[in-house]
Every structure is written in C-alpha cells, then in structure tokens.
Amino acid sequence: MPVGTSPERVDAQAKVTGRARYTDDMTMPGMRHAKYVRSPIAHGLVMSIDTSKALQLPGVEAIFTYQDVPQHGFPTAGHAWSLDANKRDVADKQLLTQHVRHHGDGVAIVVACDALTAEKAAMLVEVEYQELPVMTTAKTALAAEAPLLHGGKSNLLKQHQLSGGDPEAALAASEVVIEGNYSTQVVQHCHLEGVISYAYMDEMDRIVIVSSTQIPHLVRRVVGQALDRPWSSIRVIKPYIGGGFGNKQDVLEEPMAAFLTWKLGGVPVKVELSREECFLASRTRHSFTISGKMGINRDGTLQTYSLDVLSNTGGYASHGHSIASAGANKIAYLYPRIAFGYKATTFYSNLPNAGAMRGYGAPQVTFALECMIDEAAAQLGMDPLELRLKNVARQGDLNPLNHKEIKSAGIIECLQKGRELFDWDARRAACLNQSGPIRRGVGVACLSYASNTYPVGVEIASARLLLNQDGTVHLQVGATEIGQGSDTVFAQMAAQTIGVPFSSIYVISTQDTDITAYDPGAFASRQSYVAAPAIRQAATELRAKILTHAAYMCSQPEWALDVINGEVVLKEMPEKVLCSVQEVSMSAHYDQEVGGQIMAEVSCKTRSNPPAFGCTFVDLTVDIELCKVTINKIMNLHDSGQILNPLLAEGQVHGGMGMGIGWTLFEEMIIDEQSGIVRNNNLLDYKFPTILDLPELDCAFVETYEPQSAYGHKALGEPPLISPAPAIRNAIWMATGVKIDELPLTPKTLYRYFSQAGLIE
C-alpha cells in the first residue's frame, strides 16, 4: 500500500501472538546473572567493602567492586560522535563508583549461576559509607561551600545564552509585561520492557551484546570507550524492543555486561534491572525551574519573551545540558515574529540521573511559555485562542534564532480546525462566571518541535534493499523500531518508490552493528524524516536496476518501461504487462550471460530540519473539595506534514496524549529533599494512568506538504506529549481562578493552592 494509507503493521502479528522475541526471550547455555550492590544513601564515599560472606554462597562466581573496573570515565548519552572534542558528551560515568552520587548508585556487582542467587549474594555484601552532605536543589548544589560531585570549581555542568533580536529592548517597549516562575517534576519512563542486556565473547574474542536499546550503533562506540577497546571489537544486536521513550537512548547496562563477560572469559552474562532499579539507576526526566518574561502590546501582538531555565541533571551528566538547551531550538518556531531570549543552566545534584525522555526539554519549556500566553490573554481580556491565532507561525516566517525559513506551517489551521471540532466558543461560554465546589474550565495550548537534531548533531541514515528470487524485497535499515511503527512506514516508502505491493517488502527489524549500516538510532522524532531519503534513494536505484534488466529481457528501451504493482509494463500502455518483477529477478539471478542479484544500498545525510506544530484543547471539571480533576474531553491536532500512515499516526498521538496526561495529573518521583532517598521507586506507589484512568482521546491532522522532506512529512513521535500539560493547567485556572505554575497537578498540589486561595477551609 502506498504512503498515506494504513496497512497492517509489519510486526503486528508477531507481537500479538508472542512470536516476537525480545532480549529476555533469548538465552544461552551457561548464562550467568549479575546483580548490583547499590548505595542506600544519596551521597557519600565507600570506606570499605566486605564480600567474604557473599562469596561463600553456593552459585556465586565472582564479585567486582569499584576497585576492579576501569578507572577512566565514559559518556552515556545517545548522541552521535562529534569530530569537535568540545562538543562531545561529558565522560563522567564509571562502571562502579567509590563516590556515591545518588540513591542507588552502584558500588559492586555480583555474578552468579542464577538471578536469585546473585540477588541473595548482593544482600550479603557489607559496605561501610562515609556520608556527605546531600544536595538535591540548585540552592544547595550551587552554594559556594557545596561539596563537588565531579571535581572542577562547582557543581555547574554548563550554562549558555541564546537570543534573537534584542529581548530586553523589546520588553521595555512592550505595553504589557508578564512575569512568572514555573517548575516541573522528576518522572520516570515506565516502559513495559525493563532495562536488560546480556553479553558474551565470540570465537574471535569480540564482545557481542544483545540489548533492549534505541541506539545500537552508539552503544558499540560507548562500550568501546568504557572498556578502552577498538569500537570494531564490539558487536551490538538489537532485537524487538518493548518501548524506551528516551531512557534507552542512554547507554545503560551494556558496558557492564560487556565488562563482565570480558573478565569471566567470554561466558554469557545477563544484567537486568528490576523495576525498582529502573527508577533509581536508569534515567528520569529532568526537573526544570523556569523564570519567564513576556512583552505584548494591547492589540495582542506578541513582542518578546525570554526564559531562564534551570535544569537538575542529577548525579551524572548523561544528556545533561543538551536537554535544557534543546528546549530553545524546539519552541523558537512557535511564535517566531518576536525578539527571543533564552538562558539555560544545568547543574549536578544528588538526584537520580536524568536523561532523555520523550519531548527532550520541550514539555518543560512549553509549559512555561503556554502558561504565560494565557496570562497575557487574561490581562488583555482576550480569548486565549484568538491570541494564539494572532501570533503563531505562518509559512515564510523565519526562526528568530537561526533565521531558517519555515516552509510549511499548519498551526493556524490546527487551531481553527480545533475550534470547530472541539466547539471551543460554546464550551468556553459555558464555563464563564461559575461558583460552587464543582467547576468546569476549558484550555488550549500550542507546540512546535523539530524533526531531527541537525545542525546540532550529524544526521545520517542508511538503507539496503535486496531483490529475492520470488520478487519480494528485503529492506534493512539502521533506524530502530522501538514500537512506534517505523518499520511499517519504511516498507510503505520502499513499496511505493519501487512499484511493488506492500506485502512484497520484508523489513529486517533486528539491527546488528556487524551487518546493519550505520544509523544513530531512534530519538528526536527523526526516524521517518531522516531514514526516508536513504530509503527513497535506495528504492529508486533498485527500481532502475529492475528496469534495466527488464529492458534486456523484453527487448524494449528502458525509458519506455515502468514498474506498477510488481509488474513491468509499458509507460504509455500500463495495461500491457511485459513481465513480473519476480521474472526479472529470476532472470537476473540465473541468466548465464548477464545479471546478478539486484540490490541497492545507500547511506546519506540530512541537512534540513523542519518544524512540526500542534495544539491541545481540553474541557475538564474540578471538584474543589476533593481536589480532583476530571477530563471531559481532550483533543490534539497536529501539523506533521503529509501523514504517512493515518492509523499509526493516530496511535502515536493517543500514546503521547496519555503520557502527557500522566505527566500532568499523576506522575511524580517523590524524593526526600534532605536525604535524597526516593520514596516511591515502584509501580505500586508511583502513580501513572492506566487505560481506566484516561479519558477518550481525540485527535485530528492538518496535512501540509514539507518540501524539504522525501515524502512531504515531518516529526510526530514526540509532539503529542508536549501541549496537554499547559492546556490542562489553563483549564484549571479558568475553572477555579487559581493559577498553578508547577507540575504535577495532583490532589496534594491542588489542595495546597486551593487552601492558599481560600477555596478550601
């Protein structure tokens, strides 16, 4: 089926029948299991470790402590390598540490014959700690007397400033000035499949890692760095993966699995984190504290806004400052006809390590921006929808930071379509002038988002196509399927461009760094946009080779032929079938004089990065006495260019909306500010919405055509998560008259604000 239709997912049947094999489904004879000894404190030094009791437990094979691992640091962020040493990720992580920097930091690891024995042994390891002052906030971590987590002069990781125009002068000239302070919380990804890897050594003493990762080629490089081995001596295999949402855009347990098999003579060793460990020792979403200023004229013309972002990265850098800085690049497209200011500061603390998570900084900064837009509307006495319509991006506008032209922009159409489908005017009118304990409100918020990482990161993709004897085509890409449906749209792209049925394309979903050509992986909503040029070029080349051989077979000029639905036809008489693609392939394989297997392979780079746009409309009810929010209706609308697969696109939007609602109304890692101890590192105490907690999710699309795109499309994976939070906050403000400038909007938060406002006695 061509691009723009909704064929069945290529992996649907394998996943629903259980035939899809994930990392944990794969085992090897003699597999050993590893369990960490983790710190019960958030900050301190290991003074002694006694492993004698653990080593006496039958089935224990080895115990390694921080003294046994390589003593150099390595980075863990899933970013492509940079030729500029100053732009490389911070190498501050070790396999095990003497200096404990967060609750759950690993100080030793046990290897045993099975997981239960390893876990029992880990509990028998006795560790003595010297506790150090715990720093969980900017105030404590950046204080002059604060103990240093990674040397240097302070716990400041990085700071930078961006501007477009003169925001200070524009603010001074504005007729109305809005100021606000906003904060967001720490949350965890909670993907269905946990963090799991195993490693062994092959017959050539190369380390082979099988892992649930979004970034197999980057894992290869980082493991090489961690163990000081040539990158080519590492092989990474990524089977089916049960979600990642950015957590697995970090190199997590692969270096440890590789280290253990290396030290134990090549036997297979599995490192699997429990759900509790995932909360403590994988990655979280950064908490942001944001100060914002906005200048606007009384006619509703936005003049300027600036954001001062403070990002808490926890004990290690991981993606660190790139997330705080990325927020600027992602929101700058939304209201481009302004003077724009952005300052970002990232610091170390004794919180669990923060990293990439769906949205990559945009949810936090969009929350602040879209709250300020509503406050501006209130001060001007304007409908907040009208204020947005007046100021959002239009085709031909320039990004205020990089001055790139916006070549496709459907955000105005999204807002207008949402106004109609959501019945905004009637719903808003019904929510005015309320009293009593049960009140209703409506809210709206917008978003913009990039389609990859260029020019900050290199954007490279690869595709290989092999024509089989029976006329089917194997498609192998470096881009990783992690549940988002990318393999399916890749098959659609290839089928349409070659001219064969969708059912003729077989996508090899497993990435293997020894076989699969290079691609950085699944992140930044880049997969379909960046992989598309490679697929299109390879498919075009394969089609041309099919036609060349068909011309030889049929004694026709190549220019007179076409491939339609798996058959070679005359262009001017498409009903005239000359031969099938299968016949062409058989001839190419077995003709004694000419031919060979028809194949094509392309690796190319993308140098464009168009913005996607979208918005959320929400209607909700607030029970003030119960501090409870009930969503009556919520709708997302998106401009993601041409929609490649409508059903998959709808699924992406629904999933993102669900995560956005969870981030807004349910989720929070509760971390004691004084001790740094995580109080709810399990799925009983950490609350995120199930299907029973979510309302009906509606979405619609405005299809523009992005001329820089291989198939007219733009990003969609992350944007649906971004705008629900400010839309919900704005609706609660309308309903209750109480502005809440922090997340999450849980009952305990509402109770605090409602009490301060006198709504609850």
Side-chain angles (χ1 to χ4, degrees), residues 555-606:
S555 300
Q556 293 282 345
E558 189 177 327
W559 57 263
L561 304 180
D562 200 358
V563 183
I564 299 176
N565 200 32
E567 295 176 326
V568 179
V569 301
L570 290 172
K571 276 185 181 177
E572 295 186 358
M573 298 176 60
E575 69 279 2
K576 178 68 173 177
V577 177
L578 301 179
C579 60
S580 67
V581 170
Q582 179 181 359
E583 290 170 325
V584 172
S585 184
M586 290 294 286
S587 174
H589 274 86
Y590 301 115
D591 187 297
Q592 289 185 332
E593 304 299 328
V594 299
Q597 184 172 17
I598 297 175
M599 62 181 70
E601 184 169 28
V602 169
S603 181
C604 62
K605 292 181 179 178
T606 292

Side-chain angles (χ1 to χ4, degrees), residues 704-731:
T704 59
Y705 186 86
E706 174 51 55
Q708 302 173 97
S709 169
Y711 294 92
H713 61 294
K714 300 185 288 189
L716 181 59
E718 292 165 276
L721 166 81
I722 297 171
S723 49
I728 292 170
R729 176 268 189 190
N730 293 338

